[in-house]
Amino acid sequence: MDDVGEPNLLNDKLNLRQLILILSVFSVLMTLINSFYSMYRVQQQLIITNTIESNRVYAEKMAETTDLFIESAFSQLEYSAALLSQGMSDTKVQQQEVDRLRTQTSFFNSVVIVNSKGVIVSISPENIQLKGVQLKGDRSLQSLNAKVPLITDPFIPPSGNYLTSISYPIFSENKEYLGYIAGTIYLEQKNILNTILGKHSYKDGSYLYVVDRNRTIIYHPDAKRVGEVIDTNEAINAVTKGEKGGKPIVNSRGVDMLAGYAPVALSGWGIVAQRAEALTVATLNEQMWKVFIKSLPIGVITVLIIWVASVFISKPLWQLASILKNYESHTSTGYDLIKVKSWYFEASYLKRSFLNTLNIVSNTINQLHSDSLTDSLTGLLNRRGLDKSQDNLRIQKIPFSVLAVDIDHFKKVNDVFGHDVGDIVLKNVAEHLKLQARELDLVFRSGGEEFLLFLPKTDIYHAKYAAERIRKSIESQDFETVGHVTVSIGVAHWAAEGKPISAVLKEADDALYKAKDNGRNRTELSISS
């Protein structure tokens, strides 16, 4: 005797909505994760913003300091130029002045005087044996040609040092241009830029570098990079335009950096202070990692519970999906579906639906596969069918001949009789080609009024015979409305080795065009075949 009031477990199945409701208790965990992530993002953005601002302020400060150095250097050179305006003819006075200027300050690696003809007339230190050397080249003659106070672009003078120079023109009392005096900064050696900019602390991974107006690095902590031209860095592009500010950038080495930048007004240089973004957020990452480690045990338990529940809930659906996936390869049957224990409503309903539609799906897949390879107008194989047929012939290494067939003056048919009549002609020609083809031959519509025939195991001469038979048969046919239609045919052969099939198709196409050029309604063989 059945117990009264006992629930029917077979019919009273849970539905998916109820299961989701049960799992929603775990949404608290997702809320905590979201809060954790939001806190991290806010702190990360704050650190990044502060770092960019700090680098911007420091870059501006160092730009001002560099401007003061340049202003002081120009003042020193102006004083020397004034003295030399009356002593350019006295080599002793010249040498005393370049020695004084070089030793009085640590501004310059060397000091030179160049006369109006571009000849070095005095240099300090004297162990640089360039006295009497004639300067040549646009870069070396920048100061001479400028005739105004100038900071040159980097260049390599006869001494061989990669340098930039700060020069001041020398004029006589009657304003005659006598030459210039210049202090040089050796960019690849210890110089004043190292002294000014090298005081920046690198303990936190940040650093400064300087570029000239042409985006050439003239100072960098890595001396090997001096002279490198950078045109893909947003900070460099901005600062060489005279802009100042800060932003996240990707440097020329592909590293995410937080950069501040400022221009040096007197020289056109740009100073960039930057730090790798990864280093900036490393401390935050470490702190957040500690919080994560402490939260990990509870998280693992929660995830484990969700995982067990998910496996239990998803198992029927997974079984259904696996059976249907394997059905195409005939490794599973409808009987496998019946064995699936669909213990809740949605899985049970899906199981019944799959069983009811199994045969329909199978038939539909087969039909779709056939349709995908067939031209809808003519019923011939289409381009996809052509590609598949080529692969089969190539893999099996079956030699074949190709007939490239084109309806002559088909555009005239469309223009005179309309596209509906043109479609009828296409279908009639396609039907004619199928009737003329053997059972093993393959017939394609390759596009528009063009057709292809593959004749397996047929040499080119028998293929030409078949082509002529097809051409004459179509020529003799009386088509409805349009009357007689002719075709031109190009023939080529693939010997199952050597050239690719695509090359043979091109040869057949070329032969077809030859037939067209020779008057149409004819067959031409590919010469290379």
Side-chain angles (χ1 to χ4, degrees), residues 31-47 284 287-289 291-292 295:
T31 302
L32 291 175
I33 293 174
N34 183 61
S35 299
F36 183 85
Y37 177 75
S38 299
M39 178 177 65
Y40 175 81
R41 293 295 294 173
V42 169
Q43 292 296 321
Q44 182 189 50
Q45 189 58 46
L46 181 62
I47 290 174
L284 176 62
Q287 293 173 350
M288 299 301 287
W289 180 251
V291 173
F292 173 76
S295 306

Side-chain angles (χ1 to χ4, degrees), residues 421-441:
V421 173
D423 288 346
I424 293 173
V425 171
L426 288 172
K427 288 192 282 188
N428 289 339
V429 170
E431 190 63 32
H432 211 73
L433 292 174
K434 285 193 287 185
L435 290 174
Q436 293 290 324
R438 300 171 299 177
E439 185 176 346
L440 73 161
D441 294 338

Side-chain angles (χ1 to χ4, degrees), residues 51-61 244-246 259-262:
T51 301
I52 291 174
E53 179 62 16
S54 174
N55 285 337
R56 181 193 66 81
V57 171
Y58 196 81
E60 289 188 19
K61 175 183 175 183
K244 60 182 179 179
Y261 47 88

Side-chain angles (χ1 to χ4, degrees), residues 388-452:
K388 188 170 183 179
S389 298
Q390 288 184 64
D391 291 339
N392 290 336
L393 292 167
R394 176 178 53 78
I395 292 170
Q396 298 179 50
K397 294 185 177 180
I398 299 175
F400 65 96
S401 289
V402 182
L403 307 186
V405 182
D406 185 88
I407 302 174
D408 296 328
H409 303 296
F410 184 71
K411 183 177 183 301
K412 184 177 180 181
V413 173
N414 280 333
D415 292 343
V416 174
F417 301 102
H419 288 276
D420 290 340
V421 173
D423 288 346
I424 293 173
V425 171
L426 288 172
K427 288 192 282 188
N428 289 339
V429 170
E431 190 63 32
H432 211 73
L433 292 174
K434 285 193 287 185
L435 290 174
Q436 293 290 324
R438 300 171 299 177
E439 185 176 346
L440 73 161
D441 294 338
L442 301 169
V443 187
F444 312 91
R445 183 186 178 196
S446 55
E449 69 273 22
E450 297 178 4
F451 302 88
L452 285 174

Side-chain angles (χ1 to χ4, degrees), residues 70-214:
I70 293 173
E71 186 177 352
S72 176
F74 272 135
S75 178
Q76 294 273 358
L77 291 168
E78 181 182 15
Y79 177 79
S80 296
L83 290 177
L84 292 169
S85 65
Q86 297 179 350
M88 275 296 283
S89 59
D90 190 333
T91 57
K92 185 176 181 181
V93 171
Q94 292 172 354
Q95 192 60 45
Q96 287 177 345
E97 186 55 28
V98 293
D99 288 338
R100 181 197 67 79
L101 184 57
R102 184 180 64 84
T103 56
Q104 180 174 297
T105 68
S106 59
F107 285 5
F108 308 118
N109 294 95
S110 65
V111 179
V112 298
I113 298 175
V114 178
N115 65 20
S116 60
K117 296 180 180 179
V119 177
I120 298 174
V121 296
S122 188
I123 187 167
S124 178
E126 290 187 278
N127 58 4
I128 304 176
Q129 299 178 359
L130 296 178
K131 189 172 182 180
V133 172
Q134 174 76 50
L135 296 180
K136 298 178 181 179
D138 292 341
R139 288 289 180 107
S140 297
L141 296 174
Q142 291 175 79
S143 297
L144 185 70
N145 295 333
K147 298 182 182 180
V148 293
L150 181 70
I151 299 176
T152 66
D153 294 332
F155 66 99
I156 299 177
S159 65
N161 293 303
Y162 187 61
L163 58 81
T164 185
S165 72
I166 304 175
S167 62
Y168 206 93
I170 303 172
F171 291 95
S172 65
E173 292 183 352
N174 59 359
K175 306 302 180 182
E176 180 187 356
Y177 181 56
L178 303 178
Y180 66 88
I181 183 171
T184 64
I185 300 173
Y186 294 170
L187 298 177
E188 295 177 329
Q189 299 181 20
K190 185 177 180 181
N191 56 57
I192 188 62
L193 293 180
N194 296 98
T195 303
I196 296 174
L197 304 176
K199 296 178 181 178
H200 184 70
S201 174
Y202 305 106
K203 293 180 180 179
D204 62 354
S206 60
Y207 60 93
L208 283 170
Y209 61 89
V210 183
V211 295
D212 70 2
R213 62 177 67 88
N214 298 314

